[in-house]
Amino acid sequence: MLKKQNRLSRLTRKKEDKLFTFPFFNLRVSDNEEKITKFAFIVSKKIDKRAVVRNRTKRVLRSAAQELVKKYQVGKNIIVVSKKTLVPEQKEGVLKQLTGIFENRGF
């Protein structure tokens, strides 16, 4: 579970986000005034109609983000929008892709 300080509330989402597209998910990234990285996760019913699958997908994304928060504190708001290709059992692949994004994109 992410700490409350690392969760992005609905009130702080911005419209001038930069969009990055990847095989498992899309990222919307914007700057924030704090030096804390905040995450929000969106898994729609288009992914799967069953709530169990959607919740498992969110758990996989949250656990990957929790490991990244420990390493990187960059002051960004990041919204992760899941795609249908993301399978909940692929935590290692998601973590590897998110880590590569953080290192290569300079977040």
Side-chain angles (χ1 to χ4, degrees):
M1 188 75 159
L2 282 172
K3 293 181 182 179
K4 189 167 185 166
Q5 67 182 6
N6 294 113
R7 291 185 218 154
L8 186 59
S9 68
R10 290 179 187 248
L11 300 175
T12 58
R13 291 185 185 165
K14 297 179 181 178
K15 294 191 179 195
E16 57 269 356
D17 299 338
K18 295 178 186 173
L19 178 65
F20 299 99
T21 304
F22 300 100
F24 293 141
F25 45 80
N26 293 332
L27 291 180
R28 292 191 175 274
V29 181
S30 64
D31 294 326
N32 66 17
E33 296 78 31
E34 305 166 15
K35 293 191 177 187
I36 298 172
T37 303
K38 296 186 177 193
F39 285 91
F41 303 98
I42 299 172
V43 181
S44 71
K45 283 190 178 179
K46 290 179 184 178
I47 304 300
D48 200 314
K49 299 262 183 208
R50 296 170 292 176
V52 174
V53 175
R54 294 193 311 269
N55 290 338
R56 180 183 278 278
T57 304
K58 285 182 189 178
R59 266 187 251 126
V60 167
L61 290 169
R62 280 188 202 119
S63 65
Q66 187 174 9
E67 293 182 26
L68 288 175
V69 167
K70 294 176 185 175
K71 295 179 186 177
Y72 306 101
Q73 289 294 334
V74 291
K76 299 282 185 181
N77 292 337
I78 300 173
I79 300 172
V80 181
V81 181
S82 177
K83 288 186 177 179
K84 205 167 195 162
T85 57
L86 176 66
V87 178
E89 289 80 24
Q90 297 176 340
K91 180 184 173 190
E92 294 82 21
V94 172
L95 180 62
K96 184 177 177 181
Q97 194 169 30
L98 276 175
T99 305
I101 292 166
F102 269 69
E103 290 174 355
N104 295 335
R105 300 280 179 179
F107 292 157

